[in-house]
């Protein structure tokens, strides 16, 4: 269980919460982390624990993805407007991710962080992203039944590369292949910014669900390429 401690400042502001965010990329820092700071502020005022936000993130993320899966067939058949599912996914996934940002901010500002809370956070992230992958895969198959099984499997496997490397970079031995913080580099890194990724995925669901297959192809290439580059980077460092 998480152990709460007394606040040094009993009335932190949104800026205080945002100040302790752990990044995530240009989109996440500009939008998702600020939304997370607002959620953290409300949670602090209500006396909620960080894990309450973590579980709410999980429930909302799973509910959104399950709904997308359930409506994949009706959307493909034209019985349900694609924009309805897209807007639902956009709001549901973004709010869930903002809650994921909020739990860590709340824990750091209020001193309620713990190893158990961190484990719950990571496990809930894994569950939510499995559901997200299932939603995108179900939509792709519903829109294009001939979608290769091997492509769906590879997409699912390589999707977790981002989460795994993020966890690995949180420890004392963290290292980055590209350390530049220039705007062009940060824009290029948007392909691995979770907030930006789920925004694009929801947008495609809303306006062109037939293109979800190509979203899967694109992210399989991006995440697979990053995995290979990370292996090469780490191997080179270990041989020095």
């Amino acid at each position: 269980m998480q152990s709460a401690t007394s606040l040094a400042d009993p009335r932190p502001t949104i800026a205080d919460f945002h100040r302790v965010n752990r990044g995530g990329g240009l989109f996440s820092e500009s939008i998702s982390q600020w939304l997370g700071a607002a959620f953290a502020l409300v949670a602090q005022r209500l006396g909620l624990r960080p894990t309450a936000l973590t579980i709410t993130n999980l429930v909302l993320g799973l509910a959104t993805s399950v709904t997308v899966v359930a409506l994949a067939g009706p959307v493909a058949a034209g019985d349900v407007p694609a924009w309805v599912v897209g807007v639902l996914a956009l709001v549901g996934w973004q709010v869930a991710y903002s809650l994921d940002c909020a739990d860590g901010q709340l824990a750091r500002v209020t001193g309620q962080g713990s190893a158990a809370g961190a484990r719950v956070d990571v496990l809930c992230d894994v569950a939510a992203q499995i559901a997200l992958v299932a939603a995108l895969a179900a939509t792709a198959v519903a829109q294009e039944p001939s979608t290769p099984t091997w492509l769906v499997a590879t997409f699912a496997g390589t999707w977790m590369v981002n989460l795994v490397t993020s966890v690995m970079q949180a420890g004392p031995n963290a290292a980055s292949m590209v350390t530049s913080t220039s705007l062009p580099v940060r824009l290029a890194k948007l392909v691995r910014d979770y907030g930006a990724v789920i925004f694009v995925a929801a947008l495609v669901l809303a306006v062109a669900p037939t293109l979800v297959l190509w979203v899967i192809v694109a992210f399989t290439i991006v995440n697979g390429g990053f995995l290979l580059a990370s292996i090469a980077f780490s191997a080179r460092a270990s041989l020095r």
Side-chain angles (χ1 to χ4, degrees):
M1 294 181 62
Q2 293 172 320
S3 57
T5 62
S6 60
L7 289 170
D9 178 4
R11 302 294 291 181
T13 65
I14 288 180
D16 292 325
F17 286 107
H18 185 266
R19 192 175 298 115
V20 299
N21 81 82
R22 292 292 176 86
L26 186 60
F27 183 99
S28 291
E29 292 168 35
S30 301
I31 298 177
S32 306
Q33 294 286 3
W34 278 109
L35 289 174
F39 285 132
L41 179 67
V42 172
Q44 186 270 330
R45 298 290 193 266
L46 294 175
L48 299 178
R49 296 290 189 98
T51 296
L53 299 182
T54 304
I55 299 302
T56 304
N57 151 42
L58 174 64
V59 172
L60 180 57
L62 290 179
T64 301
S65 295
V66 167
T67 302
V68 173
V69 171
L71 294 179
V75 168
D79 298 329
V80 175
W83 69 266
V84 172
V85 176
V87 170
L88 172 69
L90 177 63
V91 175
W93 286 337
Q94 287 293 340
V95 172
Y97 177 50
S98 296
L99 288 167
D100 184 36
C101 297
D103 59 9
Q105 294 180 22
L106 180 63
R108 286 186 285 276
V109 169
T110 63
Q112 296 183 78
S114 69
R119 287 195 297 271
V120 171
D121 186 32
V122 172
L123 292 172
C124 287
D125 286 346
V126 171
Q129 293 200 33
I130 288 173
L132 173 67
V133 167
L136 296 178
T139 301
V141 172
Q143 293 289 333
E144 183 53 68
S146 62
T147 299
T149 302
W150 64 263
L151 175 60
V152 174
T154 305
F155 166 66
T158 56
W159 182 272
M160 292 301 167
V161 170
N162 199 18
L163 180 59
V164 170
T165 54
S166 295
V167 172
M168 291 172 64
Q169 289 178 350
N173 297 318
S176 175
M177 291 186 294
V178 181
T179 57
S180 172
T181 57
S182 66
L183 182 59
V185 170
R186 300 197 76 197
L187 288 173
K189 286 185 174 182
L190 281 173
V191 295
R192 300 192 65 251
D193 181 330
Y194 187 71
V197 167
I198 57 177
F199 175 81
V200 170
L203 189 63
V204 173
L205 285 174
V207 302
T210 56
L211 297 181
V212 170
L213 174 60
W214 294 106
V215 171
I216 285 178
V217 170
F219 281 108
T220 299
I221 293 173
V222 168
N223 292 324
F226 183 76
L227 173 61
L228 294 176
S230 298
I231 292 172
F233 175 80
S234 298
R236 180 182 177 185
S238 70
L239 293 172
R240 288 177 179 172

